[in-house]
Amino acid sequence: MTDGQIKEHISKVHARNHNWEINKGAFKYGQQLWEATLQCIENRDTNDDETNANQTFHILSATGSLSKCLTDNFRKIVISYHARGLTTTQAIDQILYDEDLRYDTPFHVFKFANVCGYDNIKKFLLQRISYLKPTDPRWPHKKFGEYWKKERQEYLEAIEDMPFSNTKEQIASLYEHYTALNTHLNSAKEAIDIERLHRCKLQTIAAINILTRTTEVEIHHQAVFQKNIPKILLEAISGTPVENQLHTQIQKQLTSPNQQQKLTTKNDEKAI
């Protein structure tokens, strides 16, 4: 077929499915575009899947078929993922793997290895939808600004009670981690294991110390935590009071502004 004949052939599929989005007919629409494109490929029966996929992708791109699938509703799906903090690459992967969207976007059909191929579709989308976030200079604020705000607000409300988003929960989790380390330390036999566990315990103490001194956290006295958490945990390391010379030095390091800054920097560089 000539380019003109191919375009005319594909346009008939568009005409038959002009209401595909309203009717949730994306899967049928995508399948018909694929079948029509195969009829335009020479030697399609003897070609391997990759060759047919690349040619299918080329024809759908050249005829504007892929662009027709980039509807405002599809853009809103992308925006909803961007509003939740996902990158464009992550958003594309989420959309293409989400079976609930198979009737909302033909890209669900195009992604298959024997249609256009996942990499071809992902590359196409990366070039076309990365601007759908307010930080991009091409962001269409007038068109999607309010929608972004709504999606972003819903997301922030949804994560408000998410575990570990609350400082008290973070401290509680760190303490659970500390007690687990302490259990392992008590049963450790090898010197290298004892050293590593001891270092992890000190790092956990430092993290708790950072949280308690950078936020005004009030924890009930019946809970394990108190305002002097570093002192309590330091005592637990050796089973002796922190007045012990070695642990007094450690406590001073934890409470010294200069050492705190160094410790904070060190812990930022090395994950706890």
Side-chain angles (χ1 to χ4, degrees):
M1 291 185 182
T2 65
D3 290 345
Q5 290 173 325
I6 291 175
K7 189 171 184 179
E8 183 179 355
H9 184 62
I10 299 298
S11 67
K12 293 178 182 178
V13 179
H14 297 314
R16 291 197 302 268
N17 294 273
H18 66 281
N19 286 328
W20 67 267
E21 198 166 26
I22 296 173
N23 298 329
K24 294 284 186 178
F27 191 84
K28 177 183 176 183
Y29 180 41
Q31 194 170 33
Q32 289 186 14
L33 282 171
W34 172 42
E35 292 170 352
T37 303
L38 283 177
Q39 296 171 12
C40 303
I41 298 175
E42 293 183 4
N43 304 319
R44 62 181 179 274
D45 294 329
T46 56
N47 291 336
D48 57 33
D49 283 348
E50 184 178 358
T51 299
N52 283 338
N54 288 334
Q55 291 192 40
T56 298
F57 176 75
H58 173 73
I59 291 172
L60 291 178
S61 298
T63 58
S65 300
L66 294 180
S67 296
K68 284 182 179 293
C69 300
L70 287 174
T71 64
D72 284 349
N73 285 334
F74 182 81
R75 291 184 177 93
K76 285 183 177 180
I77 294 172
V78 176
I79 290 171
S80 68
Y81 281 111
H82 280 166
R84 284 157 176 74
L86 272 68
T87 65
T88 302
T89 296
Q90 291 170 332
I92 292 171
D93 289 335
Q94 290 282 343
I95 291 169
L96 295 183
Y97 280 115
D98 189 348
E99 287 300 316
D100 291 338
L101 296 177
R102 65 186 304 191
Y103 300 111
D104 294 292
T105 172
F107 289 116
H108 245 274
V109 176
F110 300 154
K111 74 179 180 186
F112 291 113
N114 61 336
V115 184
C116 288
Y118 197 94
D119 290 342
N120 284 332
I121 292 303
K122 187 170 184 176
K123 182 178 179 180
F124 171 82
L125 290 175
L126 276 172
Q127 295 172 342
R128 298 300 188 92
I129 65 175
S130 60
Y131 73 98
L132 292 172
K133 45 194 171 188
T135 54
D136 194 284
R138 298 169 295 166
W139 165 247
H141 175 74
K142 290 183 179 180
K143 189 171 186 177
F144 294 117
E146 289 303 315
Y147 183 79
W148 166 275
K149 289 180 182 178
K150 180 180 77 68
E151 289 294 308
R152 184 65 179 169
Q153 184 60 36
E154 288 180 2
Y155 171 67
L156 293 176
E157 290 174 359
I159 66 172
E160 186 173 351
D161 296 325
M162 186 178 291
F164 308 124
S165 61
N166 181 280
T167 304
K168 292 181 181 180
E169 288 181 309
Q170 293 171 13
I171 295 175
S173 180
L174 283 170
Y175 181 75
E176 290 176 3
H177 178 62
Y178 175 86
T179 55
L181 290 171
N182 203 45
T183 299
H184 290 305
L185 181 60
N186 290 337
S187 60
K189 304 296 183 182
E190 300 293 331
I192 189 170
D193 293 333
I194 294 173
E195 180 185 354
R196 288 172 178 172
L197 288 166
H198 185 79
R199 184 166 60 249
C200 287
K201 288 174 68 175
L202 289 177
Q203 290 173 334
T204 304
I205 291 171
I208 294 174
N209 187 47
I210 290 170
L211 286 173
T212 54
R213 67 182 170 79
T214 57
T215 57
E216 295 181 1
V217 180
E218 299 264 341
I219 302 178
H220 195 273
H221 69 278
Q222 290 182 349
V224 177
F225 305 109
Q226 297 179 13
K227 292 182 180 179
N228 59 343
I229 289 174
K231 178 179 178 180
I232 293 174
L233 296 183
L234 284 168
E235 288 180 355
I237 289 178
S238 61
T240 58
V242 293
E243 283 70 17
N244 176 280
Q245 183 177 2
L246 173 61
H247 293 96
T248 300
Q249 292 174 354
I250 295 175
Q251 186 182 37
K252 287 180 179 179
Q253 290 178 350
L254 288 174
T255 55
S256 169
N258 291 335
Q259 292 299 327
Q260 285 176 350
Q261 180 61 37
K262 292 180 181 178
L263 185 56
T264 302
T265 302
K266 181 178 179 182
N267 285 326
D268 285 342
E269 295 173 348
K270 181 176 181 181
I272 295 175

